[in-house]
Amino acid sequence: MSHPSNPFLNLNYEPAIESLADYHDVVTAAEYPMHKLRWRNDDVLPILGLAPSQVSDDDFIEAFGHFRAVRSFLALRYHGYQFGEYNPQLGDGRGFIYGQVRGVDGELYDFGTKGSGRTPYSRTADGRLTLKGGVREIIASEALHRMGVKTSRCFSLVETGEDLWRGDEPSPTRSSVMVRFSRSHIRFGTFERLKWIGRTDLTRKLLDHVLQIYYPQFWGKENQDGIFYLELVERVATLCAQWMAVGFCHAVLNTDNMSITGESFDYGPFAFIPTYDPRFTAAYFDYAGRYSYANQPAACYWNLEKLQDPLGMVVDKNDMQASLLKFKDFYRLAYCEMMLKRLGFRMLSEPETEDLIGATLELLSNVQAIGYNQFFVKLRQSFQPNWREDVRHIFPNPDWEITEEQAPLLEKWRVVYHQLLIRQPIAEMENIAQQLKTANPSIIFLRPKIEEVWERITLDDDWQPLYDAIAQLKE
Ligand code: AMP
Ligand code: MG
């Protein structure tokens, strides 16, 4: 099977990280007994200058299932703090960089694999990805992307016909290989390794690379390193605020899962919070709740602080610490912005913003009968321009259970919301309705929903519910 015309084999690949030589090992891809394309992300193709009609399923399979090589495959070297403990035995254990390619937007992107076989960093593990793990990563990244969170995308998922054994899935379980499309696979942990091996020179070289490729606006500027770190603080704080606003719990915020571009990636035991419960913890093995929903800002802050150790070999530490102190302000700004959008507003004054978000969270933390994202879907579905006319029009007959004690909280929310509406011109009501649709997809991927989708795949090999659910995100 030869496809000289396969567009994926003819993209403009660039030897970016490869040419630096010191941050990877060349590896080979696993061979699989089966190749069934289960997912192709046609939405991403235009970034590569491709139309979906130009790319066949066989093209996907040849490039991202058989891994017909265009360049060397690079398993990246990295370390990381896992649940607070330093682990020098990490690195791409089941993935590699397939290639780096320039998008039509001028940005450099990575094709990174997950489940593509063993590498020098696999330790005792099999180098594989379960099919369910692949399906869950599709869901996390598409849902986050839809809600405006900067995230890697799942580019393709090929089922590979092996039996895998896992402690957290009924086993044997089906296997897959995923290709992820992301801004970068350089992690905080990529720098941490350089400190561990005591290589100031390699730190400088990698930081120059990061600046040139991902922060070119700062490259060559006075104090370029300091402004880079400040920008990273802002990006990470913004990303974290967006996770919080959309009710996303990443679950494994180790420093090897933190991208140097501030992009969200690597979705394992993630979950969308069912209700507004700050203590919600997504990973069953996170006994102490280190990465609980409410701890995510503190975890991101901790990771940024730890990053000062390796960067400190070449960047001024006092300067970085001063930048880190701005985390809270960046976070608050981004959180309010996204929450306002989810509530239908573009701009409100600071006190109005505080009042509205405060009333919303007070309601949702006390009324656990309504889900967190469910509330925003109900708002999207129920909102009418006539809410502005009379507070009694707002959620007149809520279909969620509300006790007598909780009723004043809903009443308070209604009043706050109504007050804000009457301060807007009537013409603005249509914009609010539209904004609510834009910010709040009508489908919520709570765990039972994901399990429902997975059950159809595992029991009947029926993939339509997954495709339908992803399509519903666009509504
Ligand atoms: P993750 O939890 O996916 O971020 O992975 C943490 C580390 O374990 C990384 O170094 C992975 O490459 C490695 N790892 C996870 N699962 C496997 C596997 N099945 N085979 C080999 N390495 C793995
Ligand atoms: Mg990881």
Side-chain angles (χ1 to χ4, degrees):
M1 191 171 63
S2 168
H3 296 269
S5 61
N6 185 336
F8 295 138
L9 304 184
N10 294 295
L11 293 172
N12 281 326
Y13 292 99
E14 293 184 18
I17 191 89
E18 182 181 0
S19 66
L20 301 187
D22 298 297
Y23 311 95
H24 70 263
D25 294 84
V26 173
V27 295
T28 54
E31 288 184 16
Y32 306 106
M34 182 180 108
H35 304 84
K36 279 195 181 160
L37 184 65
R38 298 304 194 181
W39 168 257
R40 47 179 280 173
N41 200 331
D42 284 351
D43 286 356
V44 175
L45 291 174
I47 303 174
L48 299 167
L50 296 171
S53 60
Q54 285 174 275
V55 188
S56 69
D57 288 1
D58 281 348
D59 293 334
F60 270 93
I61 289 172
E62 184 184 31
F64 304 130
H66 289 285
F67 293 105
R68 172 89 98 81
V70 179
R71 319 191 63 88
S72 299
F73 299 149
L74 318 175
L76 297 188
R77 302 170 181 170
Y78 57 85
H79 293 175
Y81 281 93
Q82 298 189 301
F83 291 86
E85 298 286 330
Y86 194 77
N87 186 348
Q89 295 192 316
L90 291 171
D92 280 336
R94 54 169 166 174
F96 51 70
I97 301 293
Y98 174 89
Q100 296 186 283
V101 67
R102 199 60 66 175
V104 293
D105 55 3
E107 306 280 7
L108 189 70
Y109 290 93
D110 287 2
F111 285 120
T113 66
K114 192 169 184 178
S116 51
R118 289 176 49 77
T119 76
Y121 306 102
S122 304
R123 289 170 281 168
T124 56
D126 59 7
R128 302 301 201 264
L129 172 67
T130 67
L131 186 61
K132 187 177 186 183
V135 166
R136 283 175 47 83
E137 179 139 350
I138 295 172
I139 289 172
S141 44
E142 290 308 293
L144 289 176
H145 172 74
R146 163 64 178 84
M147 293 199 264
V149 179
K150 189 164 110 180
T151 175
S152 68
R153 306 289 291 276
C154 177
F155 193 70
S156 63
L157 186 71
V158 173
E159 183 171 358
T160 48
E162 296 176 318
D163 282 340
L164 304 181
W165 271 261
R166 290 288 184 276
D168 54 358
E169 285 184 40
S171 297
T173 187
R174 290 153 75 175
S175 66
S176 68
V177 65
M178 187 191 90
V179 171
R180 183 192 282 151
F181 188 75
S182 95
R183 273 322 309 284
S184 171
H185 284 80
I186 299 174
R187 307 143 192 265
F188 289 15
T190 315
F191 281 96
E192 282 161 344
R193 171 179 163 268
L194 303 176
K195 166 94 183 177
W196 180 268
I197 61 174
R199 294 292 297 268
T200 307
D201 58 331
L202 295 186
T203 306
R204 183 68 258 169
K205 189 166 135 184
L206 186 63
L207 186 53
D208 284 346
H209 174 80
V210 166
L211 279 159
Q212 281 168 327
I213 296 199
Y214 305 108
Y215 297 83
Q217 65 276 32
F218 304 146
W219 175 243
K221 284 241 167 78
E222 203 191 325
N223 193 21
Q224 53 170 15
D225 304 332
I227 15 181
F228 150 73
Y229 183 80
L230 176 62
E231 169 84 9
L232 182 63
V233 169
E234 180 170 4
R235 289 192 193 182
V236 172
T238 301
L239 172 65
C240 186
Q242 293 181 343
W243 286 337
M244 298 300 282
V246 303
F248 183 74
C249 194
H250 181 286
V252 194
L253 290 179
N254 294 334
T255 57
D256 52 304
N257 287 339
M258 300 290 292
S259 164
I260 206 72
T261 63
E263 184 182 69
S264 180
F265 84 124
D266 209 354
Y267 305 112
F270 77 87
F272 285 93
I273 54 170
T275 60
Y276 189 78
D277 172 8
R279 290 160 309 171
F280 177 87
T281 303
Y284 70 90
F285 49 82
D286 185 2
Y287 308 109
R290 181 182 177 93
Y291 300 136
S292 69
Y293 172 70
N295 280 354
Q296 294 187 113
C300 289
Y301 184 98
W302 192 91
N303 290 342
L304 283 163
E305 191 161 37
K306 279 288 167 201
L307 182 62
Q308 293 178 16
D309 289 341
L311 291 184
M313 292 196 286
V314 295
V315 188
D316 183 84
K317 270 201 163 185
N318 291 330
D319 193 28
M320 285 195 282
Q321 190 55 27
S323 296
L324 184 58
L325 295 179
K326 303 202 170 108
F327 181 95
K328 221 173 154 186
D329 291 340
F330 290 137
Y331 174 86
R332 190 70 200 158
L333 200 69
Y335 181 73
C336 289
E337 191 183 321
M338 192 131 186
M339 287 297 278
L340 281 193
K341 283 187 186 158
R342 301 204 72 191
L343 289 157
F345 295 97
R346 281 180 295 190
M347 268 279 267
L348 294 178
S349 71
E350 228 176 281
E352 286 172 329
T353 303
E354 295 287 327
D355 276 0
L356 178 58
I357 296 177
T360 305
L361 295 185
E362 196 184 3
L363 175 69
L364 295 181
S365 54
N366 284 286
V367 185
Q368 296 279 305
I370 177 132
Y372 178 72
N373 276 304
Q374 196 190 4
F375 174 79
F376 292 99
V377 175
K378 285 197 184 297
L379 181 57
R380 161 191 167 139
Q381 289 166 344
S382 313
F383 178 82
Q384 298 290 339
N386 77 359
W387 280 21
R388 188 175 176 280
E389 290 160 21
D390 191 327
V391 71
R392 283 168 300 184
H393 290 156
I394 300 180
F395 286 133
N397 304 302
D399 59 358
W400 63 86
E401 210 178 301
I402 190 148
T403 65
E404 230 170 272
E405 281 161 18
Q406 295 165 345
L409 295 175
L410 178 58
E411 199 42 49
K412 180 176 165 193
W413 190 89
R414 282 193 181 109
V415 170
V416 169
Y417 204 73
H418 183 244
Q419 287 298 312
L420 293 173
L421 292 181
I422 53 180
R423 275 178 235 154
Q424 309 283 327
I426 293 181
E428 188 60 19
M429 297 304 110
E430 280 310 321
N431 294 334
I432 291 179
Q434 188 51 50
Q435 177 57 48
L436 288 170
K437 288 199 180 83
T438 306
N440 305 306
S442 64
I443 182 163
I444 312 162
F445 285 103
L446 296 186
R447 280 202 173 132
K449 178 69 198 172
I450 299 177
E451 289 301 315
E452 190 187 305
V453 165
W454 172 246
E455 198 171 283
R456 295 290 296 277
I457 294 169
T458 193
L459 295 181
D460 311 323
D461 207 24
D462 180 2
W463 289 76
Q464 203 53 47
L466 173 68
Y467 304 146
D468 291 346
I470 298 292
Q472 200 187 328
L473 276 172
K474 295 202 173 135
E475 287 170 11

